[in-house]
Amino acid sequence: MLFKQQALLRQKLFVLGSLAIGSLLYLVARVGSLDRLQPLCPIDGRFGLRDQDEIPLRALQFKRGLLHEFRKGNATKEQIQLQNLVQQLPKAIIIGVRKGGTRALLEMLNLHPSVVKASQEIHFFDNDENYAKGTEWYRKKMPFSYPHQITIEKSPAYFITEEVPERIYKMNSSIKLLIIVREPTTRAISDYTQVLEGKERKNKTYYKFEKLAIDPNTCEVNTKYKAVRTSIYTKHLERWLKYFPIEQFHIVDGDRLITEPLPELQLVEKFLNLPPRISQYNLYFNATRGFYCLRFNIVFNKCLAGSKGRIHPEVDTSVITKLRKFFHPFNQKFYQITGRTFNWP
């Protein structure tokens, strides 16, 4: 009996040993074959990266992961130094316009591995109290980035605030300036809609758009109404051109960014002298939201806030016609100055 048990035990040990040796030999052979095999879909083939353009893994880790910790202030000085991170002044600013698509543009540009965005509007140049704190205060409001990356911030109030062009010029006379515009009447109604929603949340009443946009005494367009005044793009741009040449501006079509974002983003990449990295892979249409969402990788996707794409109130057609007629000569001049024509009525 004992002899049979010993024989059975030896047989089991032999089988287990054979399996272990076989598995080890398989792994050795497998590793050797992997060295010889070419990947089915090479990374540089999928993304068009050349050796000199490859982005270090640590840069991607920072941009998509570590950034959160640095923003929360959880990183130590040693960690910051180890990562070779710095807080840089912006090399480009989205200066406007309000309700033109500034947030969407900023988030979409953040798809580019060489772009780092300021998450909040800083309001440095349009706020006297903030501006008095100095450029160093402004710089410390910027996100951590690698020296080769471009920091971008957006504050749409910059475009219409009189003091801002001179203040930005004093900081950096060669900075690149982005302006995103929409059809002026649509933009004015969108502006009104955002304010109206804020009033409704506080259970406050508000005038109808028609009463604000049209002067009841003259029945003409009310240029004192801020939503109308903001849409006179050429008037604001002329003030900026006293300090910066037109070559330092890039005009983004906000209406096209909604329906066909990639061509607009590719134009911005070219303007900022960035290698082309944003592709159709990074943008997918969300039918429920009615907007394009962002795909950073196979794991991380992002859609714009639910407040985007508010439903506009019904506006009297005669008021819309009057506004479009009013904006028309200003639009023509804007086309002439910028060299870009839009299909605005």
Side-chain angles (χ1 to χ4, degrees):
M1 184 68 177
L2 181 61
F3 177 80
K4 288 184 178 180
Q5 289 177 342
Q6 290 175 340
L8 185 60
L9 180 61
R10 283 196 297 271
Q11 186 177 6
K12 288 181 178 179
L13 289 173
F14 176 80
V15 172
L16 289 172
S18 299
L19 287 173
I21 293 171
S23 298
L24 182 61
L25 290 173
Y26 170 79
L27 288 172
V28 171
R30 179 63 175 164
V31 169
S33 64
L34 285 175
D35 290 337
R36 295 189 300 273
L37 289 174
Q38 293 296 321
L40 198 59
C41 183
I43 292 296
D44 50 332
R46 289 200 318 243
F47 295 100
L49 291 174
R50 302 183 300 272
D51 290 341
Q52 63 269 32
D53 293 331
E54 287 180 0
I55 304 155
L57 178 59
R58 63 174 186 164
L60 295 177
Q61 288 173 333
F62 162 70
K63 189 168 175 56
R64 303 301 177 221
L66 295 180
L67 179 58
H68 182 60
E69 293 301 315
F70 287 104
R71 281 179 178 162
K72 289 194 304 181
N74 293 342
T76 65
K77 289 184 179 180
E78 290 74 16
Q79 287 175 315
I80 293 171
Q81 291 172 353
L82 184 63
Q83 291 293 329
N84 193 29
L85 300 171
V86 291
Q87 286 173 294
Q88 304 183 81
L89 288 171
K91 294 178 182 175
I93 301 178
I94 301 172
I95 60 173
V97 299
R98 173 181 162 89
K99 306 312 298 174
T102 57
R103 173 56 60 182
L105 177 60
L106 184 68
E107 296 291 345
M108 288 178 177
L109 289 179
N110 194 48
L111 288 164
H112 199 290
S114 293
V115 171
V116 178
K117 68 178 177 69
S119 58
Q120 302 295 324
E121 293 179 10
I122 310 300
H123 289 286
F124 176 62
F125 298 103
D126 66 311
N127 183 296
D128 291 342
E129 185 178 341
N130 287 343
Y131 188 68
K133 296 174 182 176
T135 306
E136 186 62 15
W137 177 89
Y138 179 54
R139 187 182 66 80
K140 288 184 177 179
K141 290 292 182 181
M142 294 300 125
F144 285 96
S145 62
Y146 289 103
H148 74 275
Q149 293 176 313
I150 292 177
T151 297
I152 296 181
E153 78 123 324
K154 73 100 175 173
S155 294
Y158 289 167
F159 185 58
I160 63 170
T161 305
E162 290 188 13
E163 300 84 1
V164 171
E166 183 179 5
R167 288 174 174 180
I168 292 181
Y169 179 84
K170 286 179 178 179
M171 182 192 74
N172 182 358
S173 61
S174 61
I175 197 166
K176 292 180 179 291
L177 302 165
L178 294 161
I179 306 171
I180 180 167
V181 295
R182 296 186 66 194
E183 191 276 312
T185 301
T186 303
R187 195 222 63 82
I189 296 172
S190 180
D191 197 329
Y192 166 83
T193 304
Q194 178 170 302
V195 176
L196 175 65
E197 185 181 274
K199 297 285 187 181
E200 289 176 341
R201 279 200 304 266
K202 298 175 182 178
N203 293 318
K204 293 183 177 181
T205 57
Y206 196 50
Y207 293 113
K208 291 186 68 175
F209 176 79
E210 292 87 340
K211 190 170 183 178
L212 294 168
I214 304 298
D215 187 326
N217 297 318
T218 63
C219 293
E220 298 299 327
V221 172
N222 179 15
T223 55
K224 293 181 180 179
Y225 178 39
K226 188 175 181 180
V228 168
R229 202 165 61 247
T230 299
S231 285
I232 308 175
Y233 304 139
T234 186
K235 290 291 186 183
H236 305 294
L237 182 59
E238 284 172 345
R239 186 172 59 252
W240 284 85
L241 290 173
K242 293 176 183 177
Y243 295 91
F244 299 96
I246 193 63
E247 291 77 20
Q248 281 177 235
F249 296 87
H250 178 73
I251 310 301
V252 179
D253 186 340
D255 295 308
R256 192 184 184 201
L257 192 74
I258 296 171
T259 60
E260 196 179 1
L262 184 58
E264 286 300 313
L265 296 173
Q266 290 172 333
L267 288 173
V268 177
E269 283 180 322
K270 186 176 181 180
F271 172 70
L272 296 176
N273 296 319
L274 293 170
R277 288 290 177 273
I278 302 173
S279 69
Q280 198 61 57
Y281 168 82
N282 301 118
L283 303 158
Y284 67 96
F285 187 75
N286 186 316
T288 304
R289 299 289 301 278
F291 284 93
Y292 276 86
C293 293
L294 316 180
R295 181 186 290 115
F296 290 87
N297 50 48
I298 60 174
V299 176
F300 181 45
N301 297 344
K302 180 178 183 178
C303 288
L304 298 176
S307 60
K308 305 302 177 185
R310 297 179 181 90
I311 298 174
H312 292 180
E314 291 289 333
V315 176
D316 189 290
T317 54
S318 66
V319 171
I320 292 176
T321 301
K322 187 181 286 286
L323 283 168
R324 286 177 172 170
K325 185 178 180 181
F326 168 80
F327 286 126
H328 182 73
F330 296 111
N331 295 342
Q332 295 301 310
K333 192 171 183 180
F334 186 70
Y335 302 161
Q336 189 177 27
I337 293 173
T338 62
R340 183 158 195 187
T341 303
F342 301 94
N343 296 319
W344 295 339

